[in-house]
Structures are given as C-alpha cells and as structure tokens.
Amino acid sequence: METFINTESQLSENTIKKTNPLIEQETPAFYQALDFANEVILIYNKDQENIYQNNQAQIFIENYHCIESVRFLSQLLSRFEFQQESDTPSHISSEYSSSSYGLKARVVQTSEQTFVYISMSPFWAQQQDLINTIISPDFNPILNQSNDILCLTSASGSILKINRAASTSWGYSVDELQQKNLLSFLTESSALSIKESFESLAKGQHIQNVILDIRKKDGTIFPMIWNAVWNHQQQTVIAIAKDISESLVKEKALKISEQNYSYLFNNNPLPMWINDFYTKEFIEVNDATLRQYGYSREELLKMTVYDIVAFEQLDHYKNISWDFTSDPPNYRGISLHKTKSGEPITVDITAHQIEYQNRTVSLVLVHDITLRKLAEKELIQTNNRLKAAQEIAHLAYWEHDLRTGKIFWSEEVFKIFEITENREKFDYEGFIGMVHPDDRMSIKLLEVSVLYGSKPIEKEFRIVLASGKTKYLFSKTQIIFDTLGNALRIDSTFLDITLQKQAKQALKKSNERFELAKKATRDIIWDWDIITGDSYWSDNYEFIFGKYPYGSMKDFQDWSRNIYAEDKERVLDEIQLALANPEQTTWESEYRYVRANGEIAHVSDKGYMVFDNHGKPIRMVGAMRDITKEKEEEQQLNLWKSVITNSNDAILITEAEPIEQPGPRIIYANEAFTKMTGYELHEIIGKSPRILQGPSSNRSELNKLKAALKKWEPCEIEIINYKKNKEPFWVSISIVPLADEAGWFTHWISIQKDITERKKNEEERELLIRELTQINQDLRQFSYITSHNIRSPLSNLLGLLKMLNTSTITDPMTLTVLEGFKTSTNQLNDTINDLLKILVIKENVNVQQELIDFETIWNKITQMTQQLIQDAGTTININFEKAPSVNFNISYLESILLNLLSNALKYRSNKRPLEIWVKTRNTSKGIELIFTDNGLGIDLKRHKNKVFGLYQRFHNHPDSKGIGLYMVQAQVKSLGGNISVKSEVDKGTQFSILFKK
C-alpha cells in the first residue's frame, strides 16, 4: 500500500493548492506519473461525473466491462457493491470495501473533485487463481460475473463445468450444456481445424488465441477467440473463450473510417498536408495545398514546411510551442507563408501530432485568412476614426420643484443645448423658446399631462439651437409624490437622438438603395437566422434558379436540399467549421446547385457572420451568384491555355493589324517559340514577326501569306526564317484569324513547326532516289549485256555438244571430261534462263491480270505432275470454296503453285506418307492461299531470313537449285502481294500467300 498512500497524498496536496479544476492545470509529467501507479485512479468533477482515468483504471474497466458503470461515482459504488467502512475525522476520506469482488477503495473529496483509489491486488489474485477457482467444488460465483466463457472439460471434450456467460452468449441453458461435447458447439470447419490440437492438450501442448466459430442455439454463427490448457492434477481441460464479433465490427468500421478520412483529406477545399514531425518534410499534400501554394505535388514532396514559411517568421516558426497536454498533442496559431511566386499569405494553422506509416507526423489544416486580416486591420482603423469623430451621447436631466417653482438643469442639458454663456439665466421659458415651433405646444402641455396621468410620458421633440441647427431629443417625464401622495416635483430626462434619427433616415435611404440594388444585381441576397433556421432570399432567386415544387425558400433546409449531392457534405462541413472558429467572421465557397428544372449550376457564395455579445454567431448574411457561364468559360480558357503553353509547336499571337508595314505586333509567344528562335519573350513582344525573315525567305510564300491576311483568311506556308543568331531554318506556318463575339477580327494566331530536318531528309531522299535510279539502270544494262554476251557463245557450245559423236571416242578420260563439260554447260544454260525469268519479272510492271479460277489452275499443274504425285503416294486435300478465284496473272499463278507442289514432292519425309492441304479464304486485306505439307520442314531458327533468298538450299537434294521460292516471292510481290512461311523440322511447312484485292 505504499504506492497507494504516496499517490493519494500527492493528489490531495496538489488539489488543495489549486482552486481551479486539476484536470485543466496539472502538467503532462504529473499525469504520466499517475499512469505508473499500481492502483486504479479515477477522478470525478463536482457533478460526480468521471473526468480522468489512469492506465490501471482503463485495464480495470476493460476486464470488468464496466465503462458505463464508472461514468458517475454513484454507479461505480453500486456496480461493485461497495460498502462504507468508516469516515476519517475530517470527513475528507472514506474507506469502502466490496466482499463480492474482493476490492478495497478510498474516496477523497475536495472542493473541486472527488478522487477514487481502488486496490487492484485482490483482482489480480483472482486472475492468478483462475484455474484453481474453476476446478474448485463451489465454482466461485465471481466467474459467473465474467462476460468470457469459462469451462472445464474432459480430455475428450465433454463439458464438466461451464459459467453462465456461455448460457447467455450461446442461448443454451446450463443443463443443456452439461455433459455435451464442447466441440459439438463449433461449426464443422472450426471443429475439424481444432480437433487435432484439442486431442494434443493432454500431451502438454496449449491452444492460444485461436479464432473458432460457435453455432448458437438459434443457428446463428459468431467468432470467439479460444485459449485452453491441460490440468495434470485433475486430468481435465480448462478453456476460456472471448466474443470478438464486436472487435471485428470495430475493425471494419475503423477501415471504413480510414477510407472516409482519406476522402475528406483529399477533397478538403482547405489546404491539408502531413509532414514529418521532426524533419518537417512533406509526406502527403491534398489538391487544395497545390492550388494555394502554386507548387506541383512532386515539388512539395521534395520540400520541407520551412521552405514555405516567410523568411521573417522562420525563427519564430521553428520555436512554436505545442500543447502536449492534449491528446493528441496539437498546435494552433497564425503564421506568414509564401507561395511559389513569392506572394505572402497569412494562414491560420491547426496541427495535430499523430502516428502515420510508423512515423511521428503533423496533420496540418491551413486556412488562408489574408483577406480577413486585411479586413480586420481596416475595421480597426475605421473604428478608431469613428471614435475620434463622434462624441458619446450623454443623458440630460432636469427637475421642476412644484413647491418652490425652481428648476434644476444638469450639466448635460447645457451641452446638448450648446449653451456656453449666461447659464444661470437659462430658465423654463428659455427652454420652451428653443423647442421647435411645431413641437412647442405639446411640450407645454407635457407637465399638465403628467400631473393628471399615472405613468411616465415618453416624447420625441426637436429643438433649434442659437446656431440654427436642429436636434432631435427623446424625453421621459414623470411626477414624483411624497408619502402622503402629494406631488413634489416633475422629473424629466432627455437624450440627444439626433444621430439615431439621422441613422434611421440613412437606413431608410440605404434600404431603398438595397432594394434597387437587388433588382439591378445578379447576386441573390440571403439572410440566415442561425438560431431559428429561418432564412430570407431576395426575389431574384426564383428568376435565376426557377420555382421549386415545395414553394419559396423558407429556411436553411430548403437551401441545403438543392446543393449537388457530391458537394453537399463539403459545403455543410465548411459552414460548421466557420461557425465553430472564433477567429473566422466570413464563409465563402464555390459549389454546384441544382436548379428547379434539374440542371446543375455553379455558384459562388459568401456570407458574413453576426455575433452576439458573447461572441456566438447568431446570423449570417450573404450573397450567392450564378457563375455557371464563368466556370464554363474558365474551363475553356484553361484548356486553351494549357494547350498553348504545353504545345511542342511554337505558337505566336499577334494583333490583327496593320497588315502593311510595320506589320501586326506580337503580344504572346509560348516557350516552344522561344526555344525554336532563340529570342527571349521580352525581345519580341511588341515587334512584328517580320524580324524572323531574311534574304532566303521565299517572297512568293510571303506574298501568299499577305494576300490571305488582307482577306482575313487562314493560310499555310513553308518558308525559311532566321533565328536570333541569324541561323536559317525551315518552318511550317499555319495562321488563322480570331474574332470577338461581334465578329470583329482582333488577333492572328499562328502555329509554327521547325521542319528543317524534314526538308533536309527530303533533299537527301531525292538525291538518293536519283542515285538509286541510275544504279538500277546501270544494273539493268549490265544484266542485258551479260545475258546477251553469255547467251550467244553458250548457244554455240550447246550446238557443238549436240553435234559431237562420242561413240567414236574410246579414251575413258576423254569421255568423262566431255560428259562433265556437257553437264556444266546445261547447268549454266539453266542458270541463265532462271536469271532471265527473274529479270523479266522484275522489269515487267504492266503484267496482265485477270480473274482466275484456283481449281482450274490446280487441276492443270497436278496433271503435269501426276506421275510424281502417284510415285510419292501423296494425299492432296483442296478447299477453294471460301475464295474460288483471284485477280492475278495466270502464268505467275501456275508457276507459284507448281513451285510449291514440286518442293513438297521433292522434300517429303521418308517417315510418313506425304499429305498436302491447299485452301483459300477471303480476308479484309485480300485473298489468302494457304499451302501446307507434312514434309521435312525448314529450320527457321537458322534460315528464317534466307527462305526466299536466291540460291538458298536447306536440304541435300540432287535436284535442288535454290531458286524456286525466290521466284515465288518475286512473282507475288511484283503484283502487290505478300508471302510468309511457318515451318518446323520433321513436321512440315505452311506457306501463306496474300493476293492484293
């Protein structure tokens, strides 16, 4: 109990020394000390309502589920059945005990608070003796107080003892639970998952914090967290279960709350950010911060808060004092910031210290109060001037003694009547003489009226001063009687109300001007009584937004129901924040508003708050303007501005005139223009685009442009211009005139693109084309000469070989040489013929084309190769139904199909019978012929780029020349077609030919 006594003494001593509530004045260190106490400490205010709990108290509340019971002291004492033991002589401290819960408590009362100390040791003893209590014969009644399920089972799971919490939670009676198997109350999946662990309990294993689903008596299922141990002494299982369904709901609610908070953060119209508490680095910023300070998100996330604080306030900002007594710690203050452009802004900062992503951070809300501060300064100056210019009105008093006839005038009378001389001569007749003639008779009758009346008489009248000035006075006159009811004197007070009268007249004129202004302005004037909710809206509300089904606007709800759904929560939150902020006198916002016909309008709304004597807002007066058109124009303008500013093309805007010398002046150029020409913006503003022209600028193109300008027509030209450093460059210029709403042309806008590289490429391409054309002509001539020069002697050789009679030659060597010479000559002849065919295909650009039937041509070539087809045992499958014909050259098509068929027969596999599939189809790109075989195939990984090359051989076949596929590709491409191949070694090959439609 040593800690108990010391803590109590410390609290009592501190409380006696303080006159204000302890909770509001003790330091954080003091409360941290309370959190280290071993006992429960609760503090209650004068109304016996709980205002503080230390850490042990929070554990106590959680264990006993008694959060509602500790709210008031009387409930606490009742809930735990505390009985008072004795009072101290001073009646400051009382001792209590609870035999039911084994608790002791001391209650200490002071003038401001009541402190309750509860000893926790018996409670913890019960926790430590929980197992012994459960297995004791009487099953201690305190366990039936627990909201957790506590039970004792056999090794197989049969329930031996169970507390009332199970009956309450699961819906079964205690008798229904007894002797039943505990696992039978679990869902099938939970029972299956825990069965092995349950059976292992007797081997010394434990079940710790396992979530299992319980099926109640009514069939509903809810999760519980289980712990179980084996009691070796009793050979039983002790199990404890806790309902966590509420925790899961809270966890889900927390997640939703985090999502909602993220939405509020990102969509808050006021700047918000999260920065590191120690380094001040920005971690997160919302869009409003970007708009307020002018930085991009990427820029801010590389900066610290110090970078946006004005230099003159930087030292002060680094030493601001946080309130660490609150939870969470917070800071509130005014600071001077600067935007990216250097513009100073005064901001109201609200910051809280929180934990975010395992970092201690500051969550900051910023409200720009620059305009408000300026308004406050101007208001103070105005008030000072008013105080200096106005006199405080004084209450004047005079009395008429009816017994002596004497009249007494107070000093204020002379001030009001502006009498500075001969005051002693001023009498009643002098007073009446200064009353305005039109009011004089009523004032003379005033004393008579009051003598015969029972109540004071109030009267307004005018006086005329010696200077001729007229003043308005308000008087209150009454008769004074003695104890016998005799009239003693007449007392009268009057007040100079000239200023009030003038103010009323001015107000009347102001109201008249207000009514006229309402008719003239586009703004809707509104007045909201915050206390009653009633509101007034000017007549033009229905003119602008239409007439709603529920009638005219009557209160705050009528207005709020028409706010666009996506904006409503934000706008209402802004108003509540403004009303709750004692430093804020205005509210303004932009939002969407639903017209009576359902259309969405954009509005700008601003209100001024009126406060009562206690600083509480009671009224808000404002003006709402329909800015739909401005918003649309602003969006369009921003779009154009973004396009122009970010365009890669140079954009130049000039005045419309003069067309002649010196030419229209430049008023805008984007960054791309300055980069292209080398001129800075200030060097070209006000000058004519003609400064870009030079000696190589094409005069005919300039004349074309000038003619278009005179006709106010768009124009496109390509011309050589000159950069600032006199370097020429080609530029493509597109220029169009811009007109205002009246159709009057006001500006020219030109889009310019540097085409120097394109022009250079065009020149190089033309030069290359000329060179290639010459080379082709030379190669063609070489082919003709070569083929002609070789063809003639080759024909002679072939003729001589035919005339040569080898039967007379007996020398074997000579016969071998002659036979080799004959073979080589024939091969050379075939090569020359193939080359001539290729040359013919390449040269012939006007090949005759006609509609050809695929099946007719196929039948023709299969008849030509019928014997080869039969010798190879070939199976041929054809299908020309989807595209039976094609527009092509008949000779080319015969050659193509013959080459493909010959290759398939020549390069068939010896492992399987040859199969050939030929089909056609009509596609969007053309007629497609697909030729497939199951022959040897081609290794495309090695020969992909050689398949259609000249003299390319992929198999060691004696008749292979490597020219067939080259011929096929040449013939297909010569008529605008294309050919592709797919092949796998030892599986076959597929050729796809696409004929041009």
Side-chain angles (χ1 to χ4, degrees):
M1 291 298 290
E2 180 178 355
T3 304
F4 186 101
I5 295 170
N6 291 341
T7 306
E8 176 189 331
S9 301
Q10 184 182 8
L11 278 174
S12 300
E13 179 181 355
N14 278 280
T15 306
I16 293 169
K17 291 178 180 178
K18 309 294 182 179
T19 56
N20 293 326
L22 178 145
I23 295 305
E24 298 177 357
Q25 54 190 314
E26 292 299 339
T27 63
F30 176 75
Y31 289 102
Q32 290 171 3
L34 295 187
D35 285 335
F36 286 105
N38 292 329
E39 64 273 11
V40 172
I41 301 177
L42 301 164
I43 305 178
Y44 293 81
N45 60 16
K46 287 182 177 180
D47 298 324
Q48 302 298 300
E49 185 176 4
N50 182 249
I51 58 174
Y52 173 79
Q53 304 159 1
N54 72 343
N55 283 344
Q56 293 292 356
Q58 293 170 12
I59 297 172
F60 178 89
I61 291 169
E62 182 178 358
N63 278 283
Y64 279 101
H65 304 283
C66 58
I67 187 168
E68 290 296 325
S69 301
V70 302
R71 183 168 295 176
F72 293 95
L73 178 58
S74 59
Q75 293 178 346
L76 170 68
L77 298 176
S78 175
R79 165 68 171 81
F80 293 97
E81 300 175 11
F82 279 108
Q83 300 294 325
Q84 186 171 353
E85 294 182 348
S86 64
D87 290 339
T88 63
S90 63
H91 300 286
I92 294 176
S93 176
S94 301
E95 299 287 344
Y96 290 84
S97 64
S98 170
S99 58
S100 300
Y101 295 87
L103 302 175
K104 285 185 176 294
R106 174 171 292 184
V107 178
V108 180
Q109 294 183 337
T110 70
S111 59
E112 296 293 336
Q113 285 105 12
T114 299
F115 304 89
V116 179
Y117 312 86
I118 301 176
S119 174
M120 288 288 290
S121 53
F123 172 76
W124 290 117
Q126 289 179 15
Q127 294 296 306
Q128 294 295 326
D129 296 334
L130 178 60
I131 294 176
N132 294 332
T133 304
I134 292 177
I135 63 175
S136 64
D138 56 350
F139 197 22
N140 194 312
I142 193 171
L143 296 180
N144 282 326
Q145 302 281 342
S146 174
N147 291 327
D148 295 341
I149 310 297
L150 307 173
C151 66
L152 190 71
T153 76
S154 65
S156 62
S158 296
I159 298 173
L160 305 176
K161 290 184 180 182
I162 194 163
N163 67 345
R164 284 200 297 266
S167 176
T168 304
S169 179
W170 299 352
Y172 297 93
S173 67
V174 175
D175 293 338
E176 289 176 310
L177 294 170
Q178 295 288 349
Q179 302 304 320
K180 295 289 182 65
N181 193 294
L182 180 61
L183 300 183
S184 67
F185 295 99
L186 301 178
T187 61
E188 289 77 3
S189 59
S190 290
L192 185 62
S193 67
I194 200 63
K195 183 178 180 183
E196 183 177 344
S197 298
F198 195 88
E199 291 173 349
S200 301
L201 284 171
K203 300 177 182 179
Q205 296 185 7
H206 303 287
I207 295 176
Q208 292 184 336
N209 298 326
V210 176
I211 298 176
L212 301 172
D213 291 332
I214 292 292
R215 180 176 283 106
K216 294 185 180 181
K217 186 174 182 179
D218 60 8
T220 60
I221 296 172
F222 70 102
M224 299 194 78
I225 187 165
W226 287 83
N227 288 274
V229 297
W230 175 255
N231 185 282
H232 293 282
Q233 181 181 359
Q234 298 291 332
Q235 294 294 296
T236 56
V237 174
I238 300 171
I240 304 173
K242 187 178 185 70
D243 185 354
I244 62 167
S245 57
E246 184 178 350
S247 299
L248 295 177
V249 172
K250 288 181 179 178
E251 182 179 342
K252 182 177 180 182
L254 178 60
K255 185 175 182 181
I256 295 173
S257 175
E258 289 174 348
Q259 292 172 348
N260 291 338
Y261 185 80
S262 176
Y263 176 83
L264 290 175
F265 176 86
N266 292 320
N267 294 277
N268 196 321
L270 296 178
M272 289 189 74
W273 68 69
I274 298 173
N275 64 263
D276 188 281
F277 184 78
Y278 302 104
T279 66
K280 305 305 180 196
E281 295 173 301
F282 285 105
I283 298 173
E284 298 284 352
V285 294
N286 69 352
D287 292 341
T289 304
L290 307 182
R291 293 192 297 269
Q292 178 78 60
Y293 289 88
Y295 291 97
S296 68
R297 193 180 306 278
E298 292 75 15
E299 289 173 326
L300 276 177
L301 294 181
K302 296 177 182 178
M303 298 165 58
T304 69
V305 179
Y306 297 139
D307 295 327
I308 64 171
V309 177
F311 177 77
E312 56 269 29
Q313 280 215 340
L314 192 56
D315 289 339
H316 169 74
Y317 191 83
K318 289 181 178 179
N319 295 289
I320 59 176
S321 297
W322 281 68
D323 180 8
F324 289 100
T325 62
S326 62
D327 186 17
N330 66 77
Y331 165 74
R332 176 73 183 273
I334 307 297
S335 183
L336 185 63
H337 284 187
K338 59 182 179 180
T339 65
K340 183 178 181 180
S341 63
E343 179 184 355
I345 56 173
T346 304
V347 293
D348 185 353
I349 299 175
T350 303
H352 290 84
Q353 184 195 70
I354 62 172
E355 294 298 318
Y356 177 71
Q357 296 181 353
N358 296 322
R359 297 173 69 175
T360 301
V361 302
S362 300
L363 174 62
V364 182
L365 174 69
V366 173
H367 186 196
D368 183 357
I369 59 171
T370 305
L371 295 179
R372 193 189 81 194
K373 282 295 181 182
L374 291 175
E376 287 177 356
K377 183 177 180 181
E378 184 177 348
L379 181 61
I380 291 172
Q381 293 174 346
T382 302
N383 286 338
N384 290 335
R385 288 193 295 267
L386 286 174
K387 288 178 181 179
Q390 294 179 350
E391 293 183 355
I392 299 174
H394 296 284
L395 183 66
Y397 167 77
W398 65 276
E399 66 178 36
H400 183 192
D401 192 324
L402 297 177
R403 294 173 299 178
T404 64
K406 292 182 178 181
I407 296 178
F408 167 78
W409 310 95
S410 73
E411 183 67 22
E412 302 303 325
V413 173
F414 299 115
K415 289 182 179 180
I416 291 174
F417 282 75
E418 298 183 8
I419 298 173
T420 58
E421 297 178 352
N422 300 320
R423 291 183 177 183
E424 69 278 0
K425 294 181 180 181
F426 186 72
D427 56 11
Y428 183 75
E429 293 302 325
F431 163 68
I432 292 296
M434 295 185 70
V435 175
H436 193 282
D438 293 342
D439 301 334
R440 194 170 293 162
M441 184 55 68
S442 65
I443 297 301
K444 285 183 178 181
L445 295 175
L446 187 60
E447 287 193 357
V448 178
S449 300
V450 76
L451 284 171
Y452 293 97
S454 59
K455 296 181 180 180
I457 296 176
E458 296 179 350
K459 188 74 175 178
E460 284 188 12
F461 64 96
R462 291 164 289 175
I463 60 172
V464 181
L465 304 181
S467 63
K469 183 172 66 174
T470 301
K471 285 188 176 182
Y472 289 85
L473 304 182
F474 172 79
S475 70
K476 186 174 183 180
T477 306
Q478 63 183 351
I479 190 79
I480 303 299
F481 298 92
D482 61 14
T483 56
L484 299 176
N486 299 315
L488 292 178
R489 68 179 186 271
I490 296 174
D491 285 353
S492 182
T493 58
F494 48 84
L495 188 68
D496 186 350
I497 61 170
T498 305
L499 294 178
Q500 291 91 321
K501 277 290 185 180
Q502 292 173 349
K504 284 184 179 180
Q505 292 171 356
L507 179 61
K508 182 179 179 182
K509 290 182 180 179
S510 177
N511 287 337
E512 291 174 352
R513 287 194 294 268
F514 174 71
E515 291 298 325
L516 292 174
K518 283 197 305 182
K519 296 177 181 178
T521 185
R522 293 191 300 134
D523 291 354
I524 298 168
I525 309 301
W526 52 267
D527 188 345
W528 172 36
D529 187 324
I530 298 174
I531 305 302
T532 65
D534 295 337
S535 63
Y536 159 81
W537 296 80
S538 57
D539 299 337
N540 57 347
Y541 177 86
E542 289 188 357
F543 175 77
I544 294 175
F545 295 114
K547 193 168 185 178
Y548 292 87
Y550 51 80
S552 59
M553 301 283 285
K554 300 181 188 66
D555 53 32
F556 182 82
Q557 299 300 326
D558 288 339
W559 164 75
S560 63
R561 77 171 71 180
N562 298 323
I563 301 174
Y564 189 64
E566 293 182 5
D567 297 344
K568 186 172 183 178
E569 183 177 358
R570 170 181 63 82
V571 174
L572 297 182
D573 285 347
E574 289 175 357
I575 292 178
Q576 293 304 317
L577 285 173
L579 295 176
N581 187 351
E583 298 293 327
Q584 193 165 342
T585 58
T586 63
W587 161 80
E588 57 182 307
S589 182
E590 287 187 6
Y591 54 92
R592 288 167 288 182
Y593 200 72
V594 183
R595 301 184 194 273
N597 62 4
E599 293 179 356
I600 307 300
H602 288 267
V603 299
S604 173
D605 210 343
K606 185 171 184 177
Y608 296 85
M609 286 178 274
V610 180
F611 301 87
D612 62 13
N613 295 333
H614 303 289
K616 179 181 178 182
I618 58 174
R619 182 179 167 203
M620 189 183 290
V621 181
M624 183 165 77
R625 172 174 291 189
D626 184 351
I627 59 170
T628 305
K629 185 176 180 181
E630 289 91 330
K631 274 289 184 183
E632 292 172 351
E633 292 175 351
E634 180 184 347
Q635 292 173 358
Q636 187 70 20
L637 181 62
N638 289 336
L639 177 62
W640 281 111
K641 184 177 180 181
S642 176
V643 170
I644 291 174
T645 303
N646 299 302
S647 174
N648 292 325
D649 294 337
I651 297 178
L652 198 68
I653 301 177
T654 70
E655 295 175 342
E657 295 178 305
I659 304 301
E660 301 295 343
Q661 290 292 347
R665 295 185 305 168
I666 298 171
I667 64 170
Y668 173 81
N670 68 349
E671 186 178 355
F673 181 86
T674 61
K675 288 181 178 179
M676 181 177 73
T677 64
Y679 285 99
E680 296 295 334
L681 190 61
H682 69 272
E683 295 177 316
I684 59 172
I685 294 297
K687 296 182 180 179
S688 169
R690 295 174 186 177
I691 65 173
L692 302 172
Q693 298 170 10
S696 297
S697 299
N698 191 306
R699 180 45 57 184
S700 62
E701 287 289 278
L702 293 175
N703 291 337
K704 174 184 173 183
L705 175 62
K706 184 176 181 181
L709 295 179
K710 287 184 175 181
K711 296 178 182 179
W712 303 104
E713 294 177 348
C715 181
E716 293 184 7
I717 64 170
E718 291 183 356
I719 193 171
I720 293 177
N721 272 346
Y722 289 82
K723 299 181 179 181
K724 180 181 177 180
N725 62 4
K726 305 306 179 183
E727 176 188 347
F729 67 100
W730 276 96
V731 63
S732 172
I733 302 176
S734 177
I735 185 168
V736 294
L738 298 179
D740 58 18
E741 294 180 355
W744 187 265
F745 292 105
T746 59
H747 297 87
W748 292 98
I749 180 168
S750 69
I751 302 175
Q752 305 182 13
K753 181 178 290 187
D754 187 340
I755 59 171
T756 304
E757 192 67 26
R758 194 194 81 192
K759 284 290 186 179
K760 181 180 178 182
N761 292 338
E762 288 177 356
E763 292 176 0
E764 292 177 352
R765 186 167 61 250
E766 290 177 3
L767 178 62
L768 182 61
I769 289 172
R770 288 195 297 269
E771 291 177 351
L772 289 175
T773 301
Q774 184 62 44
I775 291 171
N776 282 337
Q777 290 175 353
D778 294 344
L779 288 173
R780 189 179 297 112
Q781 187 66 26
F782 174 76
S783 299
Y784 284 134
I785 292 171
T786 303
S787 60
H788 181 270
N789 291 345
I790 296 176
R791 189 70 173 167
S792 179
L794 185 62
S795 298
N796 294 335
L797 286 174
L798 290 171
L800 291 173
L801 287 172
K802 287 181 180 179
M803 295 171 57
L804 184 64
N805 184 6
T806 59
S807 60
T808 60
I809 301 172
T810 59
D811 183 28
M813 179 60 69
T814 303
L815 289 173
T816 301
V817 171
L818 288 175
E819 189 62 32
F821 181 72
K822 182 177 181 180
T823 300
S824 298
T825 302
N826 287 327
Q827 288 177 348
L828 179 60
N829 185 58
D830 291 341
T831 300
I832 293 298
N833 287 334
D834 290 338
L835 290 173
L836 288 175
K837 289 179 183 179
I838 293 171
L839 188 61
V840 170
I841 293 172
K842 296 287 187 180
E843 281 294 309
N844 197 351
V845 294
N846 295 316
V847 179
Q848 181 181 356
Q849 299 183 59
E850 58 185 292
L851 192 64
I852 307 170
D853 184 71
F854 279 113
E855 190 167 358
T856 301
I857 300 302
W858 179 256
N859 290 336
K860 182 177 179 180
I861 65 168
T862 51
Q863 288 176 2
M864 295 167 55
T865 56
Q866 184 176 5
Q867 188 61 46
L868 293 173
I869 293 171
Q870 291 176 354
D871 292 345
T874 306
T875 301
I876 299 177
N877 305 287
I878 62 170
N879 184 358
F880 301 123
E881 292 180 359
K882 293 183 179 180
S885 59
V886 65
N887 192 41
F888 203 68
N889 180 268
I890 190 168
S891 298
Y892 284 6
L893 185 58
E894 288 178 359
S895 174
I896 290 167
L897 293 175
L898 183 59
N899 268 308
L900 294 178
L901 179 59
S902 299
N903 283 350
L905 293 169
K906 190 184 300 180
Y907 303 115
R908 65 183 180 272
S909 173
N910 295 326
K911 299 177 182 179
R912 52 189 172 275
L914 176 62
E915 287 191 59
I916 297 174
W917 296 267
V918 185
K919 65 178 180 178
T920 58
R921 62 179 181 178
N922 197 340
T923 71
S924 59
K925 296 181 179 180
I927 303 298
E928 186 177 20
L929 170 71
I930 302 172
F931 189 101
T932 309
D933 66 53
N934 65 342
L936 295 174
I938 303 171
D939 187 354
L940 292 182
K941 291 182 180 179
R942 294 178 57 194
H943 307 299
K944 182 177 181 180
N945 298 324
K946 301 177 183 179
V947 173
F948 299 106
L950 185 61
Y951 299 124
Q952 296 297 323
R953 301 175 179 85
F954 310 112
H955 302 286
N956 295 323
H957 195 281
D959 293 335
S960 175
K961 294 192 295 182
I963 196 170
L965 290 179
Y966 180 84
M967 290 284 293
V968 171
Q969 184 191 50
Q971 290 169 328
V972 170
K973 287 193 170 184
S974 68
L975 294 181
N978 196 16
I979 183 170
S980 61
V981 61
K982 296 179 182 178
S983 184
E984 290 188 47
V985 176
D986 202 33
K987 287 189 178 181
T989 304
Q990 182 184 89
F991 291 95
S992 297
I993 301 174
L994 186 66
F995 298 97
K996 183 179 178 181
K997 281 189 176 181

